[in-house]
Amino acid sequence: MSFDDQLEQPVAGDEHPLPPFHTRLIQTFVAPGRLAEALAHNPAWALALVVGALLIVAQTVLIPPEVWDAMFRETMLQQGREMPEGFGAGATVMRISAVVGGAIGYVVMSFLFAGIVTLLFAFLLGDEGRYKQYLASLTHAWLIPSLVGLALVPLRISEQNPQLTLNLGTFFYFLPEGYLQKVFTMLDLSQIWAWLVVAQGAYAIDRRRSVGSAAAVLIAISVVMALIFALFVPTL
């Protein structure tokens, strides 16, 4: 019996049985509709959450220390600050903090955003969904950006940029530095993909909600968040 099965007992005779985790992982990419149906009836989320957090840790650990050092050094130079004594030790501490903070942040944000999705669909829009169902959908969908981020590690190393992502800013490279550029840079393509998978989940949970309308709501929230967060980050 799998870890998820121990926490989420499938209903006997259910026409939408819960597949094993490796099958669900593949379905996240190639058959999100089938995955959404299974999770709507058997909302397993624990193993997907743990694997997602471990992927975030792996992304950080696989980046060599010298790449992190280069990034921190570049950041300080852009801010006009001098390199402090013992910079190497400080960078190591920051790298360890990034590993621990990344994993904890991933878990916290998973629960938080599942709550936001539940608030949107189940309370404000009147859909018939439970928090656990939306959490299961989101934790599986977020495996997409986690795996994409892991695949980007070689590029991050070659570019000396541990925070490199595939985002809309890549296609709008001609924009001048400023607020609009920051907004597009914050719209990660793999995260948008994940929200489309969550939209499939919302449709499977309540058939009155179309995939298109769910996707429109979730993408709109992503854009609003990018518009807000772009106000508080330094110019790229």
Side-chain angles (χ1 to χ4, degrees), residues 72-148:
F72 295 139
R73 185 176 290 104
E74 179 67 21
T75 299
M76 297 187 70
L77 290 175
Q78 288 179 352
Q79 296 174 352
R81 299 165 58 187
E82 296 183 358
M83 307 301 295
E85 295 183 5
F87 171 78
T92 300
V93 172
M94 294 181 72
R95 182 169 178 257
I96 295 174
S97 299
V99 172
V100 177
I104 295 176
Y106 180 87
V107 173
V108 171
M109 295 302 284
S110 296
F111 287 118
L112 175 62
F113 274 93
I116 293 174
V117 172
T118 305
L119 177 65
L120 282 172
F121 290 113
F123 290 93
L124 298 181
L125 298 178
D127 290 6
E128 296 180 357
R130 294 176 290 118
Y131 175 77
K132 184 185 291 187
Q133 290 175 302
Y134 293 112
L135 178 62
S137 178
L138 183 138
T139 51
H140 284 78
W142 277 17
L143 291 172
I144 294 173
S146 298
L147 284 168
V148 170

Side-chain angles (χ1 to χ4, degrees), residues 125-194:
L125 298 178
D127 290 6
E128 296 180 357
R130 294 176 290 118
Y131 175 77
K132 184 185 291 187
Q133 290 175 302
Y134 293 112
L135 178 62
S137 178
L138 183 138
T139 51
H140 284 78
W142 277 17
L143 291 172
I144 294 173
S146 298
L147 284 168
V148 170
L150 188 62
L152 286 175
V153 166
L155 183 59
R156 289 171 175 171
I157 294 174
S158 65
E159 294 293 325
Q160 298 283 293
N161 181 6
Q163 298 178 328
L164 184 146
T165 63
L166 294 178
N167 53 71
L168 287 180
T170 305
F171 301 97
F172 293 90
Y173 59 88
F174 51 84
L175 290 175
E177 292 186 355
Y179 175 72
L180 192 58
Q181 183 200 48
K182 289 187 289 184
V183 171
F184 282 117
T185 302
M186 289 187 172
L187 293 172
D188 186 288
L189 294 175
S190 63
Q191 192 66 59
I192 293 174
W193 183 0

Side-chain angles (χ1 to χ4, degrees), residues 40-60:
H41 291 79
N42 299 288
W45 55 268
L47 187 54
L49 180 64
V50 171
V51 170
L54 290 176
L55 289 171
I56 296 299
V57 170
Q59 292 179 36
T60 307

